Amino acid sequence: MRLLIAGGAGYVGSALIPRLLQRGYQVDVVDLFWFGNNLPQETGLLSKDLFDVTVEDLKKYDQVIFLAGLSNDPMAEFSPSKNFIYNAAAPAYLAYIAKKAGVKRYIYASSCSIYGYTVNELYDETRTVASSYPYGISKLQGEQAVMNLMDAEFSVIALRKGTISGYSPRMRLDLIVNTMFRTALHEETITIHNPAIWRPILAIEDAITAYVRAVEAHESISGIFNIASGNYTVGEVGDLVKTEIEQQLGVKVQLLIRRSQDFRNYKVSFEKAKNVLSFHPQHDIRAIICQLVKEMNKFSDWENPMYYNIQMLREMENGIRSYELGAAIGAGR
Ligand SMILES: NC(=O)c1ccc[n+]([C@@H]2O[C@H](COP(=O)([O-])OP(=O)(O)OC[C@H]3O[C@@H](n4cnc5c(N)ncnc54)[C@H](O)[C@@H]3O)[C@@H](O)[C@H]2O)c1
């Protein structure tokens, strides 16, 4: 089976693709390589904007996975116009041409952030979504557009993922557990902006499994699925990260508790993914910290702007990085 992964050079794709290759799939990536290229040599590379992909290009693929776009709130707020183009129009365009090309399945990287601010109830996929911020709105627009194209010949699966954490060869240190890990080791402090807020956390290993289950699901399956390893309050996440780091690395960590307003608060049910996709998460916060400790030598240059999406976007918008990134892509690796 041949797969095209749009945005596959990012944090999720760089961890997912080695697993897909191990399972015998042929994998190509179309990407702008904003964060460089950490993909295995066997990956086929198309270095371009996915808006430049044509129906003809897609005829050789069985499935297309969308992992592109501006992937967090700070990026979306920095450039709302680019956010709506890359997060709403881009997945719609790619799904439209994939269907025209005869691709059998389209898998869309949705997000639990579309639930917005809820009232501490467990939300399943039938509940009303209510995000009022650019990232959440655009992820929902992308989801609605691609789900509308689903039919008997064109399976569409949207994975509404919680906040992912853990190690990827394209590392991000701007995701909740990863950020706490960095500040605990670098500053011996974890800042909890609001301990009462709920967040579904998704270990990257479980995220990879969710994509594998989606790729391998029976051809008759389509639909929207919440995907998380577990629901936690941010206060509990901080406690668990502190305990694990103190036990595993012998570093004393201080907690700083704040009461900042947040516009996201949600916990989700992932029963549907268990029942339909056979998705059974295996990784809790402890497992995420164990993985980060094991791999930490690979990202202990903590201040590298590559690990912070908003810094890279700012630098790209200011033209600082364009030469460097262009050179990296031209070199192919
Ligand atoms: N990381 C999370 O916690 C999380 C949670 C929920 C949903 N998501 C969604 O999952 C997807 C992957 O997230 P990530 O953390 O791997 O993101 P990332 O920012 O690490 O990677 C995104 C990749 O997409 C590429 N890209 C962006 N726009 C493109 C375009 N128009 N054409 C070609 N390439 C393009 C970038 O160069 C980059 O390599 C995103 O759609 C994100 O919204 C992520």
Coordinates of all heavy atoms in Angstrom, one line a residue, residues 227-276:
I227 N -9.3 11.0 20.3 CA -8.1 10.1 20.5 C -7.3 10.8 21.7 O -6.8 11.9 21.5 CB -7.2 10.1 19.3 CG1 -7.9 9.5 18.1 CG2 -5.9 9.3 19.6 CD1 -8.3 8.0 18.2
A228 N -7.1 10.0 22.8 CA -6.3 10.5 23.9 C -5.8 9.3 24.7 O -6.3 8.2 24.6 CB -7.2 11.4 24.8
S229 N -4.7 9.6 25.5 CA -4.2 8.5 26.4 C -5.0 8.6 27.7 O -5.1 7.6 28.4 CB -2.7 8.7 26.6 OG -2.1 8.6 25.3
G230 N -5.4 9.8 28.1 CA -6.1 10.0 29.3 C -6.5 11.5 29.5 O -5.9 12.3 28.9
N231 N -7.5 11.7 30.4 CA -7.9 13.1 30.7 C -7.3 13.5 32.1 O -7.4 12.7 33.0 CB -9.4 13.2 30.8 CG -10.1 12.9 29.5 OD1 -10.0 13.7 28.6 ND2 -10.8 11.8 29.4
Y232 N -6.7 14.6 32.2 CA -6.0 15.1 33.4 C -6.3 16.6 33.6 O -6.5 17.3 32.6 CB -4.5 15.0 33.3 CG -4.0 13.6 33.0 CD1 -3.8 13.1 31.7 CD2 -3.5 12.8 34.1 CE1 -3.3 11.9 31.5 CE2 -3.0 11.6 33.8 CZ -2.9 11.1 32.5 OH -2.3 9.9 32.3
T233 N -6.4 17.0 34.8 CA -6.3 18.5 35.0 C -4.8 18.9 34.9 O -3.9 18.1 35.1 CB -6.8 18.9 36.4 OG1 -5.9 18.3 37.4 CG2 -8.2 18.6 36.7
V234 N -4.6 20.2 34.5 CA -3.3 20.7 34.3 C -2.5 20.6 35.6 O -1.3 20.3 35.7 CB -3.3 22.1 33.7 CG1 -1.9 22.7 33.6 CG2 -3.9 22.1 32.3
G235 N -3.2 20.8 36.7 CA -2.6 20.7 38.1 C -2.1 19.2 38.3 O -0.9 19.0 38.8
E236 N -2.9 18.3 37.9 CA -2.4 16.9 38.1 C -1.2 16.5 37.2 O -0.3 15.9 37.6 CB -3.6 15.9 37.8 CG -3.2 14.5 38.1 CD -4.3 13.5 37.7 OE1 -5.3 13.8 37.0 OE2 -4.1 12.3 38.0
V237 N -1.3 17.1 35.9 CA -0.2 16.8 35.0 C 1.1 17.3 35.6 O 2.2 16.7 35.7 CB -0.4 17.5 33.6 CG1 0.8 17.3 32.7 CG2 -1.6 16.9 32.9
G238 N 1.1 18.6 36.2 CA 2.2 19.2 36.8 C 2.8 18.3 38.0 O 4.0 18.0 38.1
D239 N 1.8 17.8 38.8 CA 2.3 16.9 39.9 C 2.9 15.7 39.4 O 4.0 15.2 40.0 CB 1.0 16.5 40.8 CG 0.5 17.6 41.6 OD1 1.3 18.6 41.9 OD2 -0.7 17.6 42.0
L240 N 2.4 15.1 38.4 CA 2.9 13.8 37.9 C 4.3 14.0 37.3 O 5.2 13.2 37.5 CB 1.9 13.2 36.9 CG 0.6 12.7 37.5 CD1 -0.4 12.3 36.4 CD2 0.9 11.4 38.3
V241 N 4.4 15.1 36.5 CA 5.7 15.4 35.9 C 6.8 15.6 36.9 O 7.9 15.1 36.9 CB 5.6 16.6 34.9 CG1 7.0 16.9 34.3 CG2 4.6 16.2 33.7
K242 N 6.4 16.5 37.9 CA 7.4 16.8 39.0 C 7.8 15.5 39.7 O 9.0 15.2 39.9 CB 6.7 17.7 40.0 CG 7.4 18.0 41.3 CD 6.6 18.9 42.2 CE 6.9 18.8 43.7 NZ 8.2 19.2 44.1
T243 N 6.8 14.6 40.1 CA 7.2 13.4 40.8 C 8.1 12.5 40.0 O 9.1 12.0 40.5 CB 5.9 12.6 41.1 OG1 5.0 13.4 41.9 CG2 6.2 11.3 41.9
E244 N 7.8 12.3 38.7 CA 8.6 11.5 37.9 C 10.0 12.0 37.7 O 11.0 11.2 37.7 CB 7.9 11.3 36.5 CG 6.7 10.4 36.5 CD 7.0 9.0 37.1 OE1 8.1 8.4 36.9 OE2 6.2 8.5 37.9
I245 N 10.1 13.3 37.5 CA 11.5 13.9 37.2 C 12.3 13.8 38.5 O 13.5 13.4 38.5 CB 11.4 15.3 36.7 CG1 10.8 15.3 35.3 CG2 12.7 16.0 36.8 CD1 10.7 16.6 34.6
E246 N 11.6 14.0 39.7 CA 12.4 13.9 40.9 C 12.9 12.5 41.2 O 14.0 12.3 41.5 CB 11.5 14.5 42.1 CG 11.4 16.0 42.0 CD 10.6 16.6 43.1 OE1 9.8 15.9 43.9 OE2 10.7 17.8 43.3
Q247 N 11.9 11.6 40.9 CA 12.3 10.1 41.1 C 13.3 9.6 40.1 O 14.3 9.0 40.4 CB 11.1 9.3 41.1 CG 10.3 9.3 42.3 CD 9.0 8.5 42.3 OE1 8.7 7.8 41.3 NE2 8.2 8.6 43.3
Q248 N 13.1 10.0 38.8 CA 14.0 9.4 37.8 C 15.3 10.1 37.7 O 16.3 9.5 37.3 CB 13.3 9.4 36.4 CG 12.1 8.5 36.4 CD 11.5 8.4 35.0 OE1 12.2 8.4 34.0 NE2 10.2 8.3 34.9
L249 N 15.4 11.5 37.9 CA 16.6 12.2 37.7 C 17.2 12.9 38.9 O 18.3 13.5 38.9 CB 16.3 13.3 36.6 CG 16.0 12.7 35.2 CD1 15.5 13.8 34.3 CD2 17.2 12.0 34.6
G250 N 16.5 12.8 40.0 CA 17.0 13.3 41.3 C 17.1 14.8 41.3 O 17.9 15.4 42.1
V251 N 16.3 15.5 40.5 CA 16.3 17.0 40.5 C 15.1 17.5 41.3 O 14.0 16.9 41.2 CB 16.1 17.5 39.0 CG1 16.0 19.0 38.9 CG2 17.1 16.9 38.1
K252 N 15.4 18.5 42.1 CA 14.3 19.0 43.0 C 13.5 20.0 42.1 O 14.1 21.0 41.5 CB 14.9 19.7 44.2 CG 13.9 20.0 45.2 CD 13.7 18.9 46.3 CE 12.4 19.1 47.1 NZ 11.3 18.3 46.7
V253 N 12.2 19.9 42.0 CA 11.4 20.8 41.1 C 10.4 21.5 41.9 O 9.7 21.0 42.8 CB 10.7 19.9 40.0 CG1 9.9 20.8 39.1 CG2 11.7 19.1 39.2
Q254 N 10.3 22.9 41.6 CA 9.3 23.7 42.3 C 8.1 23.9 41.5 O 8.2 24.1 40.2 CB 10.0 25.0 42.6 CG 9.3 25.8 43.7 CD 9.8 27.3 43.6 OE1 10.7 27.7 43.0 NE2 9.0 28.1 44.3
L255 N 6.9 23.9 42.1 CA 5.7 24.2 41.3 C 5.2 25.6 41.5 O 5.2 26.1 42.7 CB 4.5 23.3 41.7 CG 4.6 21.8 41.4 CD1 3.3 21.1 42.0 CD2 4.7 21.5 39.9
L256 N 5.0 26.3 40.4 CA 4.4 27.7 40.5 C 3.0 27.7 40.1 O 2.7 27.4 38.9 CB 5.2 28.7 39.6 CG 6.6 29.1 40.1 CD1 7.2 30.1 39.1 CD2 6.5 29.8 41.5
I257 N 2.1 27.9 41.0 CA 0.6 27.8 40.6 C 0.1 29.2 40.3 O 0.2 30.1 41.2 CB -0.2 27.2 41.8 CG1 0.5 25.9 42.3 CG2 -1.6 27.0 41.4 CD1 0.4 24.7 41.3
R258 N -0.5 29.4 39.1 CA -1.1 30.6 38.8 C -2.6 30.4 38.6 O -3.1 29.3 38.6 CB -0.5 31.2 37.5 CG 1.0 31.3 37.5 CD 1.4 32.7 37.3 NE 2.9 32.8 37.2 CZ 3.7 32.9 38.2 NH1 3.3 32.9 39.4 NH2 5.0 33.0 38.0
R259 N -3.4 31.5 38.3 CA -4.8 31.3 38.1 C -5.2 32.0 36.8 O -6.1 32.9 36.7 CB -5.7 31.9 39.2 CG -5.4 31.4 40.6 CD -6.3 30.2 40.9 NE -5.7 29.5 42.0 CZ -6.0 28.2 42.3 NH1 -6.9 27.6 41.7 NH2 -5.4 27.7 43.3
S260 N -4.4 31.8 35.7 CA -4.7 32.5 34.4 C -6.0 32.0 33.8 O -6.4 30.8 34.0 CB -3.6 32.2 33.5 OG -2.3 32.2 34.1
Q261 N -6.6 32.9 33.1 CA -7.8 32.5 32.3 C -7.4 31.6 31.2 O -6.3 31.9 30.6 CB -8.4 33.8 31.7 CG -9.6 34.4 32.4 CD -10.7 33.5 32.7 OE1 -10.8 32.9 33.8 NE2 -11.6 33.2 31.7
D262 N -8.2 30.6 30.8 CA -7.9 29.8 29.7 C -9.1 29.7 28.8 O -10.2 29.7 29.4 CB -7.4 28.4 30.1 CG -6.6 27.7 29.0 OD1 -7.0 27.7 27.9 OD2 -5.5 27.2 29.4
F263 N -9.0 29.6 27.5 CA -10.2 29.5 26.7 C -10.4 28.1 26.2 O -11.3 27.8 25.4 CB -10.1 30.5 25.5 CG -8.8 30.4 24.7 CD1 -8.6 29.5 23.7 CD2 -7.8 31.3 25.0 CE1 -7.4 29.4 23.0 CE2 -6.6 31.3 24.2 CZ -6.4 30.3 23.3
R264 N -9.6 27.1 26.8 CA -9.9 25.7 26.5 C -10.0 24.9 27.8 O -9.1 25.1 28.7 CB -8.8 25.2 25.6 CG -8.7 25.8 24.2 CD -7.8 25.0 23.3 NE -6.4 25.3 23.6 CZ -5.4 24.4 23.6 NH1 -5.7 23.2 23.4 NH2 -4.2 24.8 23.8
N265 N -11.0 24.1 27.9 CA -11.2 23.3 29.0 C -12.1 22.1 28.6 O -13.3 22.3 28.3 CB -11.8 24.1 30.2 CG -12.1 23.3 31.4 OD1 -11.4 22.3 31.7 ND2 -13.2 23.6 32.1
Y266 N -11.5 20.9 28.5 CA -12.4 19.8 28.0 C -11.8 18.5 28.4 O -10.6 18.4 28.5 CB -12.5 19.9 26.4 CG -11.3 20.3 25.7 CD1 -10.2 19.3 25.5 CD2 -11.1 21.6 25.3 CE1 -9.1 19.7 24.8 CE2 -9.9 22.0 24.6 CZ -8.9 21.0 24.4 OH -7.8 21.4 23.8
K267 N -12.7 17.5 28.6 CA -12.2 16.1 28.7 C -13.1 15.3 27.8 O -14.3 15.6 27.6 CB -12.2 15.7 30.1 CG -13.5 15.9 30.9 CD -13.3 15.5 32.4 CE -14.5 16.0 33.2 NZ -14.4 15.6 34.6
V268 N -12.5 14.3 27.2 CA -13.2 13.6 26.1 C -13.2 12.1 26.4 O -12.4 11.5 27.0 CB -12.5 13.8 24.7 CG1 -12.5 15.3 24.4 CG2 -11.1 13.3 24.7
S269 N -14.3 11.5 25.8 CA -14.5 10.1 25.8 C -13.8 9.5 24.6 O -14.1 10.0 23.5 CB -15.9 9.7 25.8 OG -16.1 8.4 25.4
F270 N -13.0 8.4 24.7 CA -12.4 7.8 23.5 C -12.9 6.4 23.4 O -12.3 5.5 22.8 CB -10.9 7.9 23.4 CG -10.2 7.8 24.8 CD1 -9.7 6.6 25.2 CD2 -10.0 9.0 25.5 CE1 -9.0 6.6 26.4 CE2 -9.4 8.9 26.8 CZ -8.9 7.7 27.2
E271 N -14.1 6.1 23.9 CA -14.8 4.8 23.8 C -15.0 4.4 22.3 O -14.9 3.3 21.9 CB -16.1 4.8 24.5 CG -16.0 4.7 26.0 CD -15.2 3.5 26.5 OE1 -15.7 2.4 26.1 OE2 -14.2 3.6 27.2
K272 N -15.5 5.4 21.5 CA -15.8 5.1 20.1 C -14.5 4.6 19.4 O -14.6 3.6 18.6 CB -16.3 6.4 19.4 CG -16.8 6.1 18.0 CD -17.3 7.4 17.3 CE -17.6 7.2 15.8 NZ -17.9 8.5 15.2
A273 N -13.4 5.3 19.6 CA -12.1 4.8 19.0 C -11.7 3.4 19.5 O -11.2 2.6 18.7 CB -11.0 5.8 19.3
K274 N -12.0 3.1 20.8 CA -11.8 1.7 21.3 C -12.6 0.7 20.6 O -12.2 -0.3 20.1 CB -12.1 1.7 22.8 CG -11.0 2.2 23.7 CD -11.4 2.0 25.2 CE -10.4 2.7 26.1 NZ -10.9 2.8 27.4
N275 N -13.9 1.1 20.5 CA -14.9 0.1 19.9 C -14.8 -0.1 18.4 O -15.0 -1.2 17.9 CB -16.3 0.5 20.3 CG -16.5 0.4 21.8 OD1 -15.9 -0.4 22.5 ND2 -17.4 1.2 22.3
V276 N -14.5 1.0 17.7 CA -14.6 0.9 16.2 C -13.2 0.7 15.6 O -13.0 0.0 14.7 CB -15.2 2.2 15.6 CG1 -15.3 2.1 14.1 CG2 -16.6 2.4 16.2

